[in-house]
């Protein structure tokens, strides 16, 4: 408790959803639902495990987005350009 299986599947669905491709988004959320149902059916978790982990992942995803937005705004007010990747990462 909570189910890491469901948490990872929901996080993957959220990550895929960022690309705004409807077919991939549907596939990601279908996969997350299949993991949730499968984890209950196969006896890995109780239903409540997935019902706790999915909202927790959504909350962490939302908080991380708020934090990154705050960091970006902070960098802009300091007169620095935010660096999301280094030049060696290209």
């Amino acid at each position: 408790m909570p189910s890491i299986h469901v948490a990872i599947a929901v996080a993957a669905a959220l990550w895929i959803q960022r690309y705004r491709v409807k077919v991939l988004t549907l596939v990601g959320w279908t996969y997350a639902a299949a993991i949730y149902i499968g984890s209950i059916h196969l006896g890995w978790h109780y239903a409540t495990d997935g019902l706790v982990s999915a909202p927790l992942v959504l909350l962490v995803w939302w908080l991380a987005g708020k934090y990154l937005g705050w960091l970006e705004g902070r960098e802009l007010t300091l007169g620095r350009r935010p660096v999301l990747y280094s030049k060696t990462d290209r």
Side-chain angles (χ1 to χ4, degrees):
M1 168 76 147
S3 170
I4 297 300
H5 302 99
V6 175
I8 291 172
V10 169
L14 287 168
W15 178 69
I16 291 169
Q17 185 175 338
R18 290 185 61 209
Y19 292 101
R20 301 191 193 286
V21 178
K22 291 185 184 209
V23 173
L24 292 178
T25 300
L26 180 64
V27 168
W29 286 108
T30 302
Y31 174 74
I35 293 296
Y36 173 67
I37 292 167
S39 68
I40 298 165
H41 179 70
L42 295 173
W44 295 334
H45 296 285
Y46 293 110
T48 55
D49 296 352
L51 293 176
V52 168
S53 64
L56 283 177
V57 169
L58 292 171
L59 175 66
V60 168
W61 188 272
W62 179 77
L63 288 172
K66 290 291 184 185
Y67 178 67
L68 289 174
W70 175 78
L71 281 179
E72 185 176 285
R74 184 170 179 254
E75 291 290 326
L76 292 175
T77 57
L78 292 174
R80 298 185 207 145
R81 193 168 160 218
V83 178
L84 299 177
Y85 57 88
S86 67
K87 292 180 182 180
T88 59
D89 290 340
R90 289 186 182 192

